[in-house]
Amino acid sequence: MSGTINIGDVETYLLALQDRICGEVEDVDTRARFHEDAWERRQGGGGISRALERGAVFEKAGVNFSHVHGDRLPPSASISRPEVAGRSFQAIGVSAVIHPENPFVPTSHMNVRFFVAEKPGAEPVWWFGGGFDLTPCYGFEEDARHWHSVAHTACVEFGEDVYPKFKQWCDDYFFIRHRGEARGIGGLFFDDLNDWGFARCFEFMRSVGDHYMPAYRPIVERRKDTTYSDQQKDFQLYRRGRYVEFNLVYDRGTLFGLQSDGRVESILMSLPPRVQWQYNRKEEPGSDEARLVEEFLTPRDWLE
């Protein structure tokens, strides 16, 4: 955990990343623009939430920046590091969740973040975390290969073992245990990263953030004008229910935000605008809807 910590550099990068993602989303959508909402947290810190709704391409997109601090870490942040429980903390990050209008365009999620926990007379404990993952309703191998190829590129200069490790972690993390299925086709997930020293870990976090839109935008451009039926839109709304279930039951970021008395509107911006649950729905064998679970929501090596 060597190296001088410079949270100011992290903040500068993250604010610029938020601007870049919002700019690209608006460029693709062409119609809607982000509404910005700056907020303050009663216990310390605040953030900038940006939301785009009812666009030509995106039904809803949220890109949040937050920098919060407090006297005591919430339980969700100290699960894997019980030694930091009770310390004061700072948490800073950017998260993006994009829900498209067209069911052939997948939902995407990205988050990069930094935590530092401190107490008098002791070395600070810090770590980076984040990643990006893709949640299609209709599976295309071309899209999955592209997504994972860019994820691999983001990792390769940090070691050949980094992509396989964080790809596996993503597959394991974004698994809806009560459904027995993956949330999507994965990507990258990492947490508690401090092994390489601050400068190198920060460089990796930047690489993940910088590769998100190059991974996602070409897929959006490829699928956004595909004609779809009411039945395919209905399937999209049904599959969004799985996204909601994961975020509210398992997601560490959501739990951290709620347990740290964060701003609820910003925390729950990740949820889709429209969603539905259907009792005991069964897909027709051999259909594209059935193939999603059978062929795409089973972890596999997309770089083969």
Side-chain angles (χ1 to χ4, degrees):
M1 300 194 341
S2 61
T4 301
I5 296 172
N6 191 331
I7 199 166
D9 286 350
V10 178
E11 181 174 50
T12 298
Y13 167 76
L14 291 173
L15 286 168
L17 178 64
Q18 183 187 37
D19 286 343
R20 281 191 284 131
I21 293 172
C22 290
E24 289 210 48
V25 170
E26 290 181 343
D27 188 49
V28 172
D29 192 88
T30 71
R31 184 172 72 193
R33 293 294 180 263
F34 279 94
H35 167 75
E36 180 173 296
D37 187 13
W39 52 273
E40 294 184 1
R41 178 174 172 269
R42 186 176 66 249
Q43 296 85 350
I48 301 169
S49 296
R50 293 178 182 166
L52 176 151
E53 297 182 287
R54 295 183 294 276
V57 176
F58 303 112
E59 196 168 348
K60 182 181 180 184
V63 186
N64 289 335
F65 166 83
S66 64
H67 185 179
V68 302
H69 53 84
D71 296 331
R72 186 178 298 271
L73 275 164
S76 63
S78 56
I79 290 173
S80 60
R81 292 183 177 274
E83 73 275 14
V84 305
R87 289 188 177 216
S88 64
F89 73 95
Q90 291 189 70
I92 184 170
V94 162
S95 63
V97 178
I98 301 176
H99 295 288
E101 179 68 46
N102 193 311
F104 290 101
V105 179
T107 288
S108 72
H109 161 253
M110 186 281 306
N111 172 263
V112 282
R113 57 190 180 271
F114 175 72
F115 286 90
V116 59
E118 300 176 279
K119 70 177 180 180
E123 286 291 315
V125 178
W126 57 267
W127 62 89
F128 287 91
F132 50 67
D133 62 282
L134 196 69
T135 307
C137 295
Y138 289 91
F140 296 93
E141 293 206 2
E142 178 185 13
D143 296 349
R145 288 194 298 270
H146 167 78
W147 180 260
H148 279 274
S149 175
V150 177
H152 178 267
T153 300
C155 298
V156 68
E157 73 169 85
F158 298 89
E160 285 296 334
D161 63 327
V162 173
Y163 167 77
K165 177 182 177 180
F166 293 160
K167 189 266 188 190
Q168 183 64 55
W169 200 346
C170 189
D171 290 339
D172 294 342
Y173 179 76
F174 290 104
F175 186 79
I176 308 171
R177 293 191 291 276
H178 62 271
R179 295 288 189 181
E181 66 183 39
R183 188 175 82 171
I185 65 163
L188 300 172
F189 180 84
F190 67 100
D191 208 358
D192 305 308
L193 179 67
N194 59 16
D195 303 32
W196 307 330
F198 177 84
R200 189 65 167 164
C201 291
F202 182 26
E203 186 180 354
F204 178 72
M205 187 200 80
R206 295 196 306 269
S207 183
V208 172
D210 292 346
H211 282 85
Y212 167 58
M213 286 306 293
Y216 187 48
R217 183 169 179 169
I219 297 172
V220 177
E221 299 279 13
R222 188 181 298 135
R223 306 295 171 195
K224 66 183 177 66
D225 297 320
T226 305
T227 302
Y228 60 89
S229 66
D230 290 342
Q231 290 76 19
Q232 289 163 332
K233 185 67 179 181
D234 182 76
F235 182 65
Q236 179 195 48
L237 300 183
Y238 168 70
R239 290 303 309 178
R240 283 177 176 175
R242 299 293 200 266
Y243 201 93
V244 172
E245 290 175 22
F246 179 87
N247 275 31
L248 295 182
V249 176
Y250 301 114
D251 185 68
R252 286 181 64 180
T254 301
L255 296 176
F256 173 84
L258 296 175
Q259 291 175 3
S260 61
D261 198 22
R263 184 172 184 267
V264 173
E265 284 297 314
S266 299
I267 297 165
L268 299 185
M269 189 185 288
S270 64
L271 301 183
R274 293 189 292 158
V275 63
Q276 65 178 345
W277 282 266
Q278 299 175 22
Y279 178 75
N280 201 28
R281 173 169 172 153
K282 304 293 184 183
E283 307 305 335
E284 182 180 348
S287 66
D288 289 337
E289 291 79 9
R291 287 181 60 241
L292 175 73
V293 176
E294 295 166 359
E295 299 180 22
F296 288 85
L297 301 187
T298 299
R300 56 190 277 194
D301 182 0
W302 292 104
L303 299 184
E304 285 186 331

